[in-house]
Amino acid sequence: MTKAFCSIAVIGALCTYLTFSACSNQDAPRSPQEFVGQPSISSEASIPQIVQTTPNPLDLPAETALSDEVLEAYGEDSCFGVFEISDELFERMYGRTYKDECTVSRDDLRYVRVLHVNEDGKILTGEIVVNVAIADEVCEIFRELYEAHYPIERMRLADDYEADDIASMEDNNSSGFNYRPIEGTSRPSKHALGLAIDINTFYNPYYRYSDDFVSPEASAQYLDRSKDFPYKIEEGDLCYRLFTEHGYTWGGHWKSVKDYQHFEK
């Protein structure tokens, strides 16, 4: 009788302990090994919204600002590239920068996507169309300018300005291909071949000595190159060095005219 009573008491105590132990450990931390094989919590919530809605950064419009978090999610490499002119892009260009009389074939042009940094330190998406002969090196040059935080305000195709060079320059836009003549002549410019690039155009104007002509007109104050101002290109700076090292001519070296924004091959 005594042994039976003791056995029942022990069993009861053991059950009480196990019940209490199970309840008290429901919220206790578990070791990583205990989670092996269990479903993981989705990390989608940690992905920036812009990356979720536009997984490919090349689909972002030019001049889209990217935060450090967004840039890390995309990866810098995925934001740079050289591509053939797609049907969608050609539709955007046709009748604007690419006119009926254009002597350069669509196959001889390339669409270049880059990142650049403006004067305020914002990282922006950029785009430019150039000749296939220089497309790879142009992408490399802008990659180096970006990594050095060389300021470029905006890089949009001139088609966004209806191929109006003055409107593009007044907006301080940097661009490449545009089938148009040399300023003040009927001769095709190097831009018409996709072999020229204009950078930070409003602050680096075109000037013709013979008739005191400035383009854009509102940029006349920036003809004085002894002054300091944002987005200025000058001999010896990184932009100048990179382009000239790749064999480009700078318009700032010309004699009868000055074209401080302009690099060509």
Side-chain angles (χ1 to χ4, degrees):
M1 183 70 178
T2 304
K3 287 184 178 181
F5 177 82
C6 291
S7 296
I8 293 171
V10 170
I11 291 171
L14 181 60
C15 289
T16 301
Y17 169 78
L18 291 174
T19 302
F20 174 80
S21 178
C23 292
S24 63
N25 284 325
Q26 280 182 351
D27 297 322
R30 289 182 283 175
S31 66
Q33 288 79 4
E34 292 180 77
F35 290 93
V36 175
Q38 297 186 29
S40 61
I41 298 173
S42 173
S43 61
E44 184 175 313
S46 66
I47 300 175
Q49 183 62 40
I50 189 174
V51 181
Q52 293 183 43
T53 55
T54 311
N56 186 351
L58 302 177
D59 293 331
L60 295 172
E63 214 174 337
T64 299
L66 303 182
S67 67
D68 291 340
E69 180 188 24
V70 168
L71 187 58
E72 183 179 1
Y74 278 132
E76 288 182 343
D77 290 345
S78 65
C79 298
F80 289 84
V82 176
F83 308 92
E84 294 182 354
I85 306 299
S86 66
D87 291 342
E88 182 180 2
L89 177 57
F90 190 65
E91 184 177 348
R92 180 180 165 195
M93 297 168 58
Y94 188 74
R96 297 176 179 87
T97 57
Y98 197 99
K99 300 171 177 63
D100 286 330
E101 64 271 24
C102 188
T103 57
V104 178
S105 74
R106 170 181 168 180
D107 291 339
D108 287 333
L109 298 173
R110 290 294 183 271
Y111 179 62
V112 181
R113 286 294 299 240
V114 303
L115 294 175
H116 62 97
V117 181
N118 69 10
E119 187 73 17
D120 297 326
K122 289 184 179 179
I123 298 172
L124 304 168
T125 56
E127 61 182 357
I128 192 168
V129 169
V130 295
N131 195 290
V132 63
I134 65 171
D136 287 336
E137 66 188 23
V138 165
C139 190
E140 292 171 9
I141 289 171
F142 280 105
R143 179 69 182 257
E144 291 191 58
L145 291 172
Y146 160 73
E147 290 175 348
H149 282 208
Y150 185 92
I152 296 174
E153 186 163 19
R154 61 179 46 87
M155 290 182 65
R156 308 181 68 98
L157 301 191
D159 305 279
D160 288 355
Y161 303 87
E162 297 298 321
D164 183 334
D165 190 44
I166 300 299
S168 179
M169 287 191 293
E170 287 178 341
D171 202 29
N172 200 32
N173 185 51
S174 301
S175 64
F177 172 75
N178 190 355
Y179 194 78
R180 60 178 176 80
I182 297 172
E183 186 74 55
T185 76
S186 58
R187 291 178 286 120
S189 72
K190 287 279 188 169
H191 289 283
L193 304 175
L195 294 172
I197 297 169
D198 289 343
I199 298 175
N200 290 332
T201 48
F202 187 78
Y203 297 91
N204 298 281
Y206 172 94
Y207 179 69
R208 189 168 57 228
Y209 289 98
S210 61
D211 55 356
D212 199 30
F213 175 79
V214 184
S215 183
E217 186 176 353
S219 298
Q221 60 182 310
Y222 299 113
L223 288 174
D224 185 351
R225 308 307 284 183
S226 66
K227 294 181 178 178
D228 290 327
F229 45 83
Y231 300 113
K232 176 185 176 183
I233 299 172
E234 55 188 335
E235 185 172 357
D237 77 3
L238 182 61
C239 185
Y240 169 89
R241 293 200 313 271
L242 289 175
F243 276 101
T244 55
E245 286 169 4
H246 281 82
Y248 290 77
T249 298
W250 182 44
H253 281 162
W254 295 344
K255 302 300 181 184
S256 60
V257 302
K258 294 293 184 186
D259 200 354
Y260 296 108
Q261 63 192 250
H262 183 92
F263 294 92
E264 68 171 48
K265 262 195 174 180

